[in-house]
Amino acid sequence: MARRSRLVPEQAHAVDLVPRAFDAEEIDTPEQRDVAAAAARTAISHEIETRWPGAPYVIRQGKASEFEDLALGTQSDALVVFGVVYEFDD
């Protein structure tokens, strides 16, 4: 995970990943998807800010199939939302 250019800025490396996933069967409508994603972003931000105060991070979301290389252990059509904590290279 340390070198995933599409996850963190080019001059940085990832140090941790905080994921949330929702199976497609759990989400019936686009509105439910939006609410689930917003709740996940909020929870992830809180967890990161608690565990790594002041550390830079980015939040990404999409279908699990878009992030297969991260091995999030979910169905390919699941909604995944995750935060990536990173450090800048020296």
Side-chain angles (χ1 to χ4, degrees):
M1 179 181 69
R3 289 280 172 209
R4 294 218 192 315
S5 60
R6 65 188 177 110
L7 296 180
V8 298
E10 186 175 314
Q11 65 277 21
H13 64 276
V15 295
D16 208 351
L17 180 77
V18 179
R20 300 289 187 277
F22 303 91
D23 289 334
E25 300 87 43
E26 296 175 349
I27 301 172
D28 296 326
T29 66
E31 292 80 15
Q32 287 178 332
R33 180 184 174 91
D34 291 345
V35 170
R41 289 191 303 269
T42 300
I44 290 166
S45 294
H46 177 72
E47 182 174 340
I48 290 172
E49 290 170 6
T50 300
R51 293 172 58 189
W52 298 276
Y57 66 94
V58 295
I59 294 182
R60 305 281 192 223
Q61 73 181 55
K63 288 188 174 186
S65 60
E66 298 172 33
F67 303 102
E68 287 178 337
D69 56 328
L70 295 179
L72 298 172
T74 60
Q75 298 173 359
S76 64
D77 63 344
L79 167 65
V80 293
V81 182
F82 57 91
V84 182
V85 180
Y86 62 91
E87 293 178 342
F88 287 100
D89 297 331
D90 294 328

